[in-house]
Each structure stands twice: as C-alpha cells, then as structure tokens.
Amino acid sequence: MSQSLLDLKNSCKGSVREPNDEGYNNTKWAPNATLPSKIIVTPEETADVAKAIKYARSQGLPFAVRGGGHSSSTASATDGLLIDMQKMDNIRVDGDAKVVYIQAGAKVAQVEAETIKY
C-alpha cells in the first residue's frame, strides 16, 4: 500500500515541506550543489528518517541526505526527497570510554567545541 504525503506529514515529528510551503528551504552555501527537491523532510528523531526513506521508496523517489550542508557537489542533493539532518545535531561525549556520539546534522565547529574539553 502506498503512503500519502499527508500521512508522512502527519506522522513525522519534524517538518515535511514542498516547494510552495512556508519554511521550504533548499539553499546551500554552494548554489551549484542544489537541486530543486520535490520534498524536504527535516527530521527531529530517528523514526522520522525511517519514515522519509519508506515514503521515498513507496513513491519511487530518489532521496539524498544532507548533513551539515557543506558539500559542494550534488552528493547531498536530489530532485526527489531530501532528508535535511540540521535539527539532529546532538553530540554526546563519554569521556571515560573515550567515545563520541554525533548525530548527522552536527557541524564541525559544534563537534570541536564539545570534544576539545577532553
């Protein structure tokens, strides 16, 4: 059974936007690295990422994941469904185990600020 876009919008904690929606933002620092995405999902939790991928697959849409938005190529751009990880930027350092847990939306400056303490 094919999922509708409305189902995706209603089931995600994060935002799901189309080009004419308020808050649709497909800009990157390198304009040549941007494609006109049909849908942008900005997940707030892991379940949103899974829902976005499931939706893209059910609709036959190509999808890409944008982390910090630093890519100067179109590797993190698509004309299908873009998963923009900007709101999933948590960083947790376990100093005793010497392990860092970094979500995909974290930027290098954030990672450095947290890890330099150790």
Side-chain angles (χ1 to χ4, degrees), residues 91 93 100 108-118:
I91 302 161
V93 179
V100 181
V108 171
Q110 294 170 288
V111 175
E112 287 178 348
E114 288 301 314
T115 57
I116 197 73
K117 301 170 190 174
Y118 299 89

Side-chain angles (χ1 to χ4, degrees), residues 18-63:
E18 297 174 273
N20 292 325
D21 292 346
E22 185 177 332
Y24 176 91
N25 183 357
N26 197 29
T27 59
K28 290 175 70 171
W29 70 274
N32 62 319
T34 302
L35 295 174
S37 301
K38 289 181 177 74
I39 301 164
I40 298 178
V41 177
T42 306
E44 291 187 16
E45 59 187 17
T46 307
D48 289 350
V49 177
K51 291 171 188 174
I53 293 170
K54 184 177 178 182
Y55 175 80
R57 293 184 72 194
S58 77
Q59 301 299 310
L61 291 172
F63 69 90

